[in-house]
């Protein structure tokens, strides 16, 4: 959503991706979240760091209490969603990659940034689109 003029204030919305390091799905959630924060909804999407959040980061936890949060998890264990709900309250929206990407892709071994293919970037773009849809829906109802 673009600013519409003087006085237009965009609601900040937190996005927290899971920290699955071993599987490709975890990597894709973080790539997508970064793209949303830096390119697609800069200034509106605020990335929350899951490890810091779990470790007791007061700034992250307070943000999640005060602003809507979207969790983006690779699998049904929903680590990001559960962590927000444990320490700060309900997430406003959540995404699980298993709802729209193939499981054998999600659970395949992750690759280094140098080994990422165009297909990996295309999948991250799709996840980023899903995040943006949720951001826009939340903002529309603000
Ligand atoms: S949601 Fe799944 S992939 Fe992500 S950190 Fe939890 S167990 Fe790992």
């Amino acid at each position: 959503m673009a600013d519409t003029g003087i006085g237009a204030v965009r609601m900040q919305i937190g996005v927290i991706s899971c920290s699955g390091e071993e599987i490709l799905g975890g990597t894709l959630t973080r790539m997508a979240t970064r793209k949303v924060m830096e390119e697609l909804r800069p200034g509106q999407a605020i990335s929350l760091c899951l490890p810091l959040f779990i470790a007791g980061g007061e700034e992250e936890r307070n943000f999640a209490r005060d602003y809507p949060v979207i969790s983006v998890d690779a699998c049904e264990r929903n680590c990001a969603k559960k962590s927000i709900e444990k320490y700060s309250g309900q997430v406003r929206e959540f995404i699980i990659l298993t709802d729209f990407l193939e499981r054998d892709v999600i659970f395949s071994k992750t690759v280094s940034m140098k080994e990422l293919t165009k297909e990996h970037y295309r999948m991250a773009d799709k996840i980023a689109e899903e995040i943006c849809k949720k951001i826009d829906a939340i903002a529309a109802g603000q």
Side-chain angles (χ1 to χ4, degrees):
M1 188 177 86
D3 284 342
T4 53
I6 295 169
V9 177
R10 293 195 300 174
M11 173 193 278
Q12 289 191 315
I13 296 170
V15 183
I16 186 161
S17 45
C18 85
S19 54
E21 297 286 346
E22 291 296 316
I23 62 171
L24 181 63
T27 302
L28 294 175
T29 65
R30 291 188 293 281
M31 288 167 64
T33 298
R34 190 173 190 92
K35 178 163 183 156
V36 171
M37 182 184 69
E38 293 182 350
E39 297 176 34
L40 302 178
R41 297 296 184 276
Q44 183 179 32
I46 307 298
S47 174
L48 302 178
C49 172
L50 180 58
L52 178 58
F53 186 90
I54 292 170
E58 275 307 307
E59 203 176 330
E60 314 276 298
R61 291 186 182 184
N62 288 338
F63 183 96
R65 279 187 204 108
D66 296 339
Y67 293 89
V69 172
I70 301 166
S71 59
V72 188
D73 282 303
C75 78
E76 298 91 339
R77 289 192 178 172
N78 278 321
C79 297
K81 179 174 184 280
K82 285 179 183 166
S83 299
I84 292 287
E85 292 179 346
K86 181 171 182 182
Y87 296 111
S88 296
Q90 294 294 306
V91 296
R92 185 72 67 89
E93 293 281 356
F94 62 94
I95 288 170
I96 308 172
L97 301 196
T98 46
D99 286 345
F100 56 94
L101 289 180
E102 297 292 331
R103 294 185 74 85
D104 57 348
V105 172
I106 295 168
F107 291 100
S108 63
K109 192 162 172 50
T110 198
V111 297
S112 72
M113 293 307 282
K114 282 187 296 190
E115 294 169 316
L116 288 168
T117 65
K118 283 184 183 170
E119 180 63 7
H120 293 141
Y121 281 99
R122 193 191 62 73
M123 287 188 275
D125 286 349
K126 180 172 172 53
I127 301 163
E129 271 174 35
E130 295 296 320
I131 298 171
C132 286
K133 279 186 209 165
K134 301 222 181 262
I135 287 176
D136 294 347
I138 293 170
Q142 80 182 83

